[in-house]
Amino acid sequence: MESQSAKPIIAALLQPLPVLTQPQARNDLSDESVVRLLVRQFIDLSLDAFNQVLQGNLDQDEAVDGINRQAIALNSVFLGTSGFETVITHPWNSPDQLGAFLKDVVALEYPEDDCVRAMLIHLATQLMHALRLPDEERNEEVEALTLDAADLLLGRAPEDDDEIDIDIGV
């Protein structure tokens, strides 16, 4: 992970896919596939950073800084403040809606306008722990974390009966 801004990475992810019938296609944050893609890209970036640290190719502080920059950028996307014209937001995409929901459901002790970032950082922490699992279990855990994080960003409490998989140690 180089010392680059997360904004270009997010901008690249949010470029609309070329659709023949819709030349002005945009990414709708109420579309589950769009939200899952953004979560999965964050997860992949985090896993890559952690693996780079384990291999000695990246300083741990640089990895954490890169993950945090990505989380900050996604915070602005999901809270409707990014300014990206390729993103369709809804009233839900605001601190008093999504931020309050995350603060309540995930028991975050952060301001509502920072709750998406905080949830993503906790997600990255869970991913770091998942790296210790055998391959098959790790893949299952990463998939479960992806689905849970996407559900949260869409305003749905994860379907796990007993607990939210994004355990923040509360």
Side-chain angles (χ1 to χ4, degrees):
M1 192 176 310
E2 296 147 24
S3 61
Q4 60 184 3
S5 166
K7 201 99 166 158
I9 297 169
I10 296 297
L13 289 174
L14 292 173
Q15 290 303 310
L17 299 172
V19 179
L20 297 177
T21 58
Q22 294 180 319
Q24 298 299 321
R26 293 170 44 179
N27 295 293
D28 189 329
L29 291 181
S30 69
D31 182 336
E32 191 168 344
S33 64
V34 169
V35 173
R36 281 190 183 173
L37 175 65
L38 290 171
V39 169
R40 188 59 206 209
Q41 292 295 328
F42 176 80
I43 285 174
D44 289 346
L45 176 129
S46 299
L47 289 173
D48 182 58
F50 294 140
N51 281 319
Q52 292 293 325
V53 169
L54 291 173
Q55 295 170 7
N57 298 330
L58 186 64
D59 178 69
Q60 184 173 348
D61 290 340
E62 290 178 73
V64 169
D65 288 347
I67 291 167
N68 192 50
R69 279 193 309 273
Q70 191 78 3
I72 290 168
L74 284 170
N75 189 73
S76 70
V77 167
F78 281 102
L79 294 181
T81 61
S82 69
F84 290 126
E85 292 180 14
T86 58
V87 177
I88 298 170
T89 59
H90 302 275
W92 169 252
N93 299 110
S94 66
D96 63 330
Q97 294 287 318
L98 178 56
F101 172 79
L102 291 173
K103 188 172 188 164
D104 181 50
V105 172
V106 189
L108 296 171
E109 295 184 18
Y110 292 87
E112 292 171 351
D113 64 353
D114 194 35
C115 281
V116 173
R117 183 201 65 82
M119 187 271 297
L120 290 171
I121 294 301
H122 291 303
L123 171 61
T125 302
Q126 290 302 106
L127 293 168
M128 187 173 57
H129 295 297
L131 285 175
R132 298 182 193 141
L133 299 171
D135 286 347
E136 187 175 315
E137 288 179 46
R138 178 177 49 239
N139 293 338
E140 288 176 17
E141 180 68 9
V142 168
E143 183 61 23
L145 289 168
T146 302
L147 296 175
D148 285 353
D151 280 348
L152 286 167
L153 292 168
L154 289 164
R156 300 185 299 236
E159 295 181 18
D160 192 278
D161 292 336
D162 300 322
E163 64 183 83
I164 295 174
D165 281 0
I166 301 173
D167 177 16
I168 60 171
V170 176

